[in-house]
Amino acid sequence: MKGSVIAVIAGGAVAAFLGHAAEAQTVLRFSHTDNPGGSRQAAAEVFAEKFAEYTDGRYEVRIFPAGQLANDPKAIEQLILGGVDFTVSATGSYATHLPSLNLTAMPFLVDSYEQGWELYDNSEWLQGEFDKLPDVGFRVLATWEAGFRSFTTDKPLASPEDAKSMKMRVFPNDMIRWSMEAIGFQTVVMPITDVYLAIQQGTVNGQENPIDTINSLRFYEVAPYITLTRHVYSPLPLTVSEATWKKLSPEDQEAALRAATEAAAFSRDLVKNSVDTQIEEMKAAGAKVSVPDIGPFRDAVASVYDQARGVYGAGEVDKILADAKAIREAMPAD
């Protein structure tokens, strides 16, 4: 009888301890717009696993893919308000809250992944802009990969001349819009979660995104002409709500940074090394892939740099152009 009583008491103590531990675990919400099979989801899972590991299971990062909680602009707004703890989106998506980040979407800044990584990790100008974001309401933990933006359209796109008859979906980013209009497109702003149906219904003729996104969201099904212009390098800063960040202890902040950096390395490796395979898979599914003469596209967007100087100031534009030029010269593309 005595042993039974002890067992009951011990069992109750264990249950109480486990209940307390469960209560102590903090759930953090991670919103993104990639599909569950995409690289953002894969990297988010790595981040969640590592952050839990490095905080001894005291935090659970719960991931909400495919815009379940919000599209990109609204997720960033929720970051500022504290309704979402993490999100990952193209740099230009954050420019609504720090307009200078639009400059990262200027066309043809870099020519290779390695050049892009150097720009995002070590550009003095860009790091200075990232340092302003905590005052806005969120901060960059690391930069994940998406790749270079190219076109998917419902009819062939061989040159800027072809663009004049097309409507192109763009996200809310001045630089992307200016580049598309300089090429010749009529632009239509809409959330990425609406794009597939909009192409299917003929509201727009196409969209532009990295290959990883085109494949994940299956845009090639409704816009089968994939034109590999690689006109903008478009990686994905992983951000945390500043309200969430301030609640973390210094040790847990370090754990978040470590997990984010390891997930970034995973993301970069995954995206860079899967592009060719994804292109072949889309071709097998019926996509028509072409590499156009890039010269006419470069010529068409040349005016965008001066347009940017007029809005953002020649000093700011020339700083990032100088950083990008130095990187291209030091790290020639293969």
Side-chain angles (χ1 to χ4, degrees):
M1 173 68 73
K2 184 177 179 181
S4 298
V5 171
I6 291 173
V8 168
I9 293 173
V14 169
F17 172 78
L18 291 175
H20 177 72
E23 290 174 0
Q25 186 180 57
T26 301
V27 175
L28 301 176
R29 304 206 301 174
F30 189 142
S31 174
H32 69 81
T33 55
D34 198 13
N35 275 345
S39 68
R40 264 178 274 188
Q41 175 68 14
E45 289 171 358
V46 171
F47 173 72
E49 178 184 346
K50 294 295 184 181
F51 190 44
E53 176 185 344
Y54 298 149
T55 57
D56 299 319
R58 287 180 288 103
Y59 289 93
E60 176 194 351
V61 177
R62 195 167 294 169
I63 305 164
F64 297 86
Q68 290 177 25
L69 295 183
N71 60 35
D72 288 312
K74 291 189 180 301
I76 295 167
E77 290 176 6
Q78 285 301 308
L79 267 188
I80 296 170
L81 297 172
V84 164
D85 300 292
F86 302 100
T87 196
V88 61
S89 186
T91 316
S93 297
Y94 299 104
T96 300
H97 306 283
L98 184 63
S100 58
L101 291 180
N102 272 321
L103 298 179
T104 63
M106 284 192 293
F108 301 110
L109 284 179
V110 295
D111 301 319
S112 71
Y113 286 99
E114 290 77 11
Q115 290 175 5
W117 300 340
E118 182 69 16
L119 180 69
Y120 270 75
D121 292 346
N122 294 310
S123 162
E124 183 177 345
W125 177 83
L126 186 53
Q127 291 305 313
E129 298 310 293
F130 283 169
D131 287 345
K132 298 174 184 177
L133 290 173
D135 289 338
V136 176
F138 55 89
R139 66 175 59 215
V140 173
L141 294 178
T143 302
W144 294 2
E145 191 56 85
F148 289 83
R149 303 180 82 88
S150 288
F151 293 105
T152 48
T153 51
D154 59 6
K155 50 188 174 180
L157 174 66
S159 71
E161 188 64 30
D162 295 328
K164 294 177 181 178
S165 64
M166 298 190 199
K167 292 182 179 179
M168 177 61 55
R169 174 267 174 179
V170 295
F171 69 100
N173 178 272
D174 283 346
M175 202 64 56
I176 294 290
R177 180 172 56 81
W178 293 345
S179 294
M180 296 304 99
E181 290 171 353
I183 290 170
F185 294 106
Q186 300 175 59
T187 56
V188 180
V189 176
M190 69 174 63
I192 196 169
T193 46
D194 296 344
V195 173
Y196 188 102
L197 185 61
I199 298 174
Q200 193 173 47
Q201 294 179 338
T203 305
V204 294
N205 297 104
Q207 61 85 50
E208 48 85 52
N209 256 301
I211 290 298
D212 184 74
T213 304
I214 291 169
N215 183 61
S216 171
L217 299 183
R218 308 180 76 86
F219 290 138
Y220 61 89
E221 293 180 343
V222 288
Y225 293 92
I226 301 176
T227 307
L228 299 176
T229 49
R230 293 165 54 95
H231 51 274
V232 171
Y233 178 62
S234 186
L236 304 164
L238 167 67
T239 50
V240 58
S241 166
E242 189 65 9
T244 302
W245 181 257
K246 288 179 177 179
K247 293 176 184 177
L248 301 178
S249 68
E251 294 77 15
D252 291 343
Q253 290 175 352
E254 182 60 33
L257 285 168
R258 182 181 174 191
T261 300
E262 292 182 13
F266 169 87
S267 171
R268 287 174 170 179
D269 182 71
L270 175 63
V271 172
K272 179 188 175 185
N273 293 319
S274 64
V275 166
D276 290 345
T277 300
Q278 290 175 334
I279 288 174
E280 290 305 314
E281 290 174 351
M282 290 189 288
K283 287 169 67 175
K288 301 169 180 61
V289 181
S290 63
V291 180
D293 179 0
I294 297 299
F297 288 93
R298 285 184 181 272
D299 292 343
V301 300
S303 62
V304 171
Y305 303 110
D306 283 335
Q307 196 168 0
R309 289 185 179 97
V311 173
Y312 298 98
E316 295 301 295
V317 172
D318 290 342
K319 284 177 187 176
I320 187 171
L321 289 178
D323 283 355
K325 180 181 179 182
I327 289 167
R328 291 197 308 272
E329 291 176 347
M331 304 174 63
D334 295 334

